[in-house]
Amino acid sequence: MNEKFSKIGFILAVAGSAVGLGNAWKFPTLVGTNGGSAFIVLYLILTFLVSFIIFLGEIAIGKISEKDPVNAYKTLAPKYKNGWKFAGVCILGAILIFSFYSVIMGWILKYVISSINYLPSDIESSKKIFQNLLSSDLGVIMFYYTICVVISFYVVSKGVKSGIERLNVWMMPALFVFLVLMLFYSMSMEGFAKSAEFMLKPNFSALNKDSVLQALGLAFFTLSLGVGTIITYAASLPDKTNLVTSSISIVFINILIGVMMGLIVFTFIFEFNADPTQQGPGLVFISLTTLFAKLGIAGHIFAVAFFVSLLFAALTSAVSMIEPSVVFLMNSYKFSRKKALLLIFIFVYIMGIGCILSYQANTASSFTFFNKPLFDLLDYFTSNLLMPISGIIVSIFVGFIMKRDSIYVLFGKYMSKDVFAIWYFLLRFIAPAAVLYIMINQLFA
Ligand code: PFF
């Protein structure tokens, strides 16, 4: 019998998993490089038509089976059980994401500490500091990275209720309060109006051929889809929870926080005439820090609050990446939680070091594969390939393999027959076709 979340604990834990660096870091960066609100429109369409639909599918797999993904597929498949259990291999994706995600957490923690008394005043020195951290300060980055990994594993070692739920129940509201305060502060700045315009007035000509795949990848990434996390959390969902309203609130919180974060980031960018279209980590780690510096002491407070918010958002997501593999090892091999954690720790810690080394000047070439540093490769592989493919598998499994009646028993209490029929149709045909179409288009573009 699984340990169960409380109702609010479940919503906050899933929202905590969803809201993370995807919203706080990828979202503003992609919005910036893809011309602002047109990209947001694309992201919203894909969220509602594809990822939210698949999200409900994962909830169904988790709740009906009450198992980890591997055993869930195996239990629910009427035949070919041993074949279907391979769909559960997607849990590996979650720990691959953890491997590079925890490195970014290390950067963030470093910035929390250093922003207390130092912020670079010009872009050149800011760039240098960030690049040094990535390419030569191995000791520093290893130190902060290790702290972040250990904290994440410590939380998961405490279990579902006293570890994961407890963390989310206080960190998610704290994150929200921080964001509201920062948003109010941003509203008092002149850049806010431009930021709002950039985020709200669509300019479709700014979209390029990669935008659709990137929006799809983001829609999967921000909802933590395709890597078994939602299935695993749903297995600990308390009975009599209104699955539909809870899921809608989670998606809503996820979008809201992304938009709030974007408004804050772009207010600074426009206030100080910086460039909103920078690629990669530059936007947050290089530009923003120099812009905060212009505000004097308030800037230091703002910077610390900003990076602490990022860290909170990231930590609540990081723990959700570890849990699926832990539950799998506990169910399948009767490992204790501690033993399962130790094994996963060894794997991700080494992979994470590989990611760090793939950016270090001396070692980069040995950790570059297919022309991409290991760090970027894992990000690309998980968001743009593994998550969408696994999303297609979820929709086929729930739509064609599981019994429609058993799914209706789960959702019928909370949605009308017609709404259920629409969701089921979208899940069986539209969501997988859209994902496939976008991926094929991208591959042969
Ligand atoms: N949803 C998280 C974010 O937006 O940062 C990322 C994530 C969490 C991906 C958990 C996958 C996962 F299993």
Side-chain angles (χ1 to χ4, degrees), residues 17-18 20-23 97 101 221-222 224 227 229 317 320-321 387:
S17 168
L21 297 176
N23 315 58
I97 295 176
Y101 208 85
F221 192 82
T222 57
S224 310
V227 288
T229 292
S317 299
S320 77
M321 297 169 197
M387 289 177 141

Side-chain angles (χ1 to χ4, degrees), residues 4-20:
K4 293 272 193 311
F5 286 114
S6 69
K7 274 188 204 173
I8 183 72
F10 172 76
I11 296 184
L12 290 175
V14 180
S17 168
V19 173

Side-chain angles (χ1 to χ4, degrees), residues 181-368:
L181 292 177
M182 288 193 286
L183 195 61
F184 274 121
Y185 189 95
S186 308
M187 282 175 179
S188 68
M189 297 166 73
E190 278 174 12
F192 185 79
K194 281 193 196 152
S195 166
E197 188 183 322
F198 184 64
M199 303 246 325
L200 299 175
K201 218 167 113 195
N203 165 17
F204 288 99
S205 62
L207 294 175
N208 59 43
K209 77 172 184 16
D210 290 342
S211 306
V212 184
L213 184 72
Q214 287 179 329
L216 181 75
L218 186 70
F220 272 87
F221 192 82
T222 57
L223 275 184
S224 310
L225 290 184
V227 288
T229 292
I230 303 301
I231 297 180
T232 310
Y233 274 11
S236 290
L237 179 77
D239 296 328
K240 302 216 185 80
T241 306
N242 185 329
L243 296 171
V244 179
T245 49
S246 307
S247 302
I248 293 175
S249 357
I250 290 161
V251 174
F252 179 74
I253 296 173
N254 189 39
I255 294 172
L256 181 71
I257 294 194
V259 171
M260 284 166 87
M261 217 33 164
L263 283 171
I264 297 168
V265 170
F266 290 117
T267 297
F268 277 84
I269 298 288
F270 288 116
E271 177 84 8
F272 299 112
N273 294 321
D275 175 12
T277 64
Q278 295 163 67
Q279 305 275 354
L283 192 65
V284 166
F285 292 97
I286 300 174
S287 302
L288 271 189
T289 41
T290 61
L291 307 178
F292 290 147
K294 296 192 198 297
L295 294 179
I297 188 84
H300 287 277
I301 299 175
F302 206 107
V304 173
F306 180 81
F307 285 115
V308 167
S309 313
L310 284 190
L311 202 58
F312 282 9
L315 186 60
T316 52
S317 299
V319 295
S320 77
M321 297 169 197
I322 309 172
E323 181 69 7
S325 306
V326 174
V327 184
F328 163 65
L329 291 174
M330 287 167 62
N331 285 345
S332 290
Y333 299 103
K334 301 281 165 277
F335 278 19
S336 67
R337 184 168 274 273
K338 296 248 151 50
K339 189 167 162 197
L341 278 168
L342 182 67
L343 197 72
I344 301 165
F345 179 89
I346 295 172
F347 178 78
V348 296
Y349 193 64
I350 294 175
M351 289 298 287
I353 294 177
C355 290
I356 292 177
L357 295 179
S358 73
Y359 277 175
Q360 292 280 313
N362 296 335
T363 45
S365 59
S366 321
F367 290 87
T368 298

